[in-house]
């Protein structure tokens, strides 16, 4: 099976959906933050391993604790995954912290700030133009 085949893409989506449910409903570890989301899953073509990209909303300490909690629960999650998804092999889970959502939020805020500054400058320019017209009259 190729890496980008339709079957592999479907398996990635199914594993991602199932892991999201398991983390949300089954895990009781207090280290895992409630605002943890699975960004993507890459299951190897031989179904032996899977890279799980996670994003955690919070500071660095919360992110690290969540990562450690998920790493310690990897075997439990793998067992639950084997019960819920019928695959030839259940992949070993490797968790990777992903900063893409936090980076996107930061970029969006910066863009909004720039647009706000441009809007203020535009308003000031319009006000100055109106004042110049009144002075000329």
């Amino acid at each position: 099976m190729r890496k980008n085949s339709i079957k592999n893409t479907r398996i990635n989506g199914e594993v991602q959906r199932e892991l999201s449910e398991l983390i949300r409903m089954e895990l009781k570890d207090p280290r895992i933050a409630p605002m943890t989301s699975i960004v993507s899953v890459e299951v190897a073509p031989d179904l032996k391993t899977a890279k799980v990209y996670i994003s955690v909303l919070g500071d660095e300490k919360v992110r690290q604790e969540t990562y450690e909690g998920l790493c310690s629960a990897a075997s439990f999650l793998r067992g639950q995954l084997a019960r819920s998804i019928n695959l030839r092999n259940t992949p070993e889970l490797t968790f990777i912290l992903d900063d893409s959502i936090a980076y996107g939020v930061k970029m969006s805020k910066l863009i909004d700030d720039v647009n706000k500054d441009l809007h203020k400058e535009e308003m000031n320019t319009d006000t100055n133009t109106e004042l110049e017209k009144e002075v000329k009259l």
Side-chain angles (χ1 to χ4, degrees):
M1 179 171 51
R2 292 174 308 175
K3 186 174 183 177
N4 292 328
S5 69
I6 294 171
K7 182 179 178 183
N8 198 317
T9 304
R10 239 185 275 142
I11 290 172
N12 290 343
E14 187 65 24
V15 170
Q16 179 179 354
R17 187 184 62 74
E18 196 61 38
L19 278 176
S20 294
E21 282 293 314
L22 289 172
I23 289 171
R24 189 170 56 87
M25 302 297 283
E26 298 290 327
L27 287 183
K28 305 296 184 211
D29 193 338
R31 295 179 292 180
I32 298 173
M35 295 300 289
T36 302
S37 61
I38 296 179
V39 177
S40 68
V41 175
E42 292 179 5
V43 178
D46 63 355
L47 303 176
K48 298 281 187 190
T49 61
K51 293 179 184 176
V52 182
Y53 295 92
I54 59 168
S55 179
V56 180
L57 189 64
D59 62 353
E60 189 61 34
K61 182 182 176 191
V62 171
R63 292 176 67 229
Q64 192 61 34
E65 286 178 353
T66 300
Y67 175 73
E68 291 169 1
L70 287 173
C71 287
S72 68
S75 60
F76 170 76
L77 290 171
R78 184 179 184 204
Q80 295 298 317
L81 199 61
R83 287 185 186 88
S84 62
I85 298 178
N86 186 17
L87 293 173
R88 185 180 320 129
N89 298 317
T90 304
E92 283 189 42
L93 304 174
T94 304
F95 292 97
I96 301 170
L97 282 173
D98 187 15
D99 297 331
S100 62
I101 294 176
Y103 181 76
V105 169
K106 180 182 173 186
M107 283 295 140
S108 179
K109 184 179 180 306
L110 290 173
I111 290 170
D112 289 344
D113 291 346
V114 168
N115 284 336
K116 191 185 308 179
D117 290 344
L118 288 175
H119 184 69
K120 283 182 182 178
E121 287 179 16
E122 187 176 285
M123 293 300 290
N124 288 340
T125 304
D126 290 344
T127 306
N128 290 341
T129 306
E130 290 175 11
L131 289 175
E132 288 175 4
K133 286 180 182 176
E134 289 179 12
V135 169
K136 287 181 182 178
L137 294 175

